[in-house]
Amino acid sequence: FGSRQKCWCGTSLDPKAVMAGATGRYEEYARQEIQYIEAELKNWFLQRKIALERNVAIRKTLEQNSFSGLETYAQGLPQSQQVMWGELVAGKPKLENKLGVDAREMKADMYLNMFKQSTDLDHPCRIPGSAFLRCLKGNFASQEGDREAKCGRAFNAFDACRNGIKQQQAEATDTAIAKQDIADQRAKGLFQRRTILLDTLSK
């Protein structure tokens, strides 16, 4: 066999050189990972900031147009009107028999005007709510039992609409909170990982 084979058996590698090379590669990888993490954290922070500014702007618009609900709309109103607004939002508007006929008519008008001023034409409860309140106004001179018989079905439709919106809002809120919590937990993990890498590089 005339061919010669070169043997590497006697070749020795410098351990320091091997370690230096491995350390250099790790440091380069760590720096790249830190850059990626910082970009992700910046993106998370900007999304949080934009969402906050958007929500503040939406809330301000709703407050200016009296669409934000009982807590904000009722501020500054007389106590009697706050009670009426609470009945529109979550209770049941009613015309008490103890009130005179003229007072009942005035209260029915207040319910209807308050409701129309706080809901736009596209509001899903605008039609059933207006129908029920018009029924109250149309029967203000009747006794409470008679009004209940005539307007009970209209109120049930209005109440079902209100409850449906509340359920949708609750579900949307829960979904948004869960989504944000996942993003926040991820950002927390990335920040902790960044701290570990920086500590490693500083040694």
Side-chain angles (χ1 to χ4, degrees):
F1 304 96
S3 61
R4 295 184 179 180
Q5 296 181 351
K6 192 172 182 180
C7 179
W8 296 92
C9 301
T11 303
S12 60
L13 299 176
D14 186 352
K16 293 182 178 180
V18 173
M19 288 297 296
T23 301
R25 288 192 296 273
Y26 174 78
E27 290 178 349
E28 179 61 24
Y29 168 79
R31 292 189 184 95
Q32 292 177 0
E33 186 175 359
I34 289 173
Q35 291 178 355
Y36 166 78
I37 290 174
E38 289 178 343
E40 289 294 301
L41 289 174
K42 181 179 179 180
N43 183 55
W44 165 80
F45 176 78
L46 290 176
Q47 288 182 348
R48 279 290 241 159
K49 182 180 179 181
I50 292 172
L52 175 62
E53 292 174 350
R54 177 177 178 272
N55 291 336
V56 170
I58 290 175
R59 180 179 179 84
K60 184 177 180 180
T61 300
L62 293 175
E63 289 176 348
Q64 290 173 346
N65 292 278
S66 301
F67 294 152
S68 55
L70 172 62
E71 294 80 7
T72 300
Y73 185 86
Q75 291 179 5
L77 291 178
Q79 182 63 33
S80 60
Q81 293 185 32
Q82 291 186 28
V83 172
M84 291 177 65
W85 181 247
E87 291 169 349
L88 283 171
V89 172
K92 184 175 183 179
K94 53 186 177 295
L95 307 177
E96 299 85 349
N97 286 335
K98 64 182 181 180
L99 297 175
V101 175
D102 291 342
R104 274 182 263 166
E105 184 179 16
M106 183 181 299
K107 188 174 183 182
D109 285 333
M110 290 177 64
Y111 274 132
L112 192 57
N113 291 334
M114 189 179 293
F115 180 73
K116 287 184 176 180
Q117 289 172 6
S118 60
T119 56
D120 59 11
L121 294 175
D122 295 328
H123 194 288
C125 293
R126 175 71 177 241
I127 293 177
S130 297
F132 166 64
L133 295 173
R134 282 197 299 268
C135 183
L136 281 186
K137 178 175 172 57
N139 294 276
F140 69 89
S142 302
Q143 292 299 305
E144 194 166 356
D146 294 335
R147 273 196 308 276
E148 178 67 26
K150 294 177 181 178
C151 303
R153 182 174 297 180
F155 171 75
N156 290 338
F158 174 46
D159 191 42
C161 182
R162 292 187 307 184
N163 291 334
I165 289 180
K166 291 175 185 177
Q167 181 65 28
Q168 291 176 7
Q169 291 174 339
E171 292 175 354
T173 299
D174 291 342
T175 299
I177 291 175
K179 184 178 180 180
Q180 188 60 64
D181 185 61
I182 291 173
D184 291 347
Q185 291 298 322
R186 180 175 181 270
K188 180 180 178 180
L190 288 173
F191 185 81
Q192 291 173 342
R193 174 63 178 168
R194 176 180 177 273
T195 301
I196 293 173
L197 292 172
L198 289 174
D199 288 344
T200 302
L201 290 177
S202 65
K203 294 179 181 179

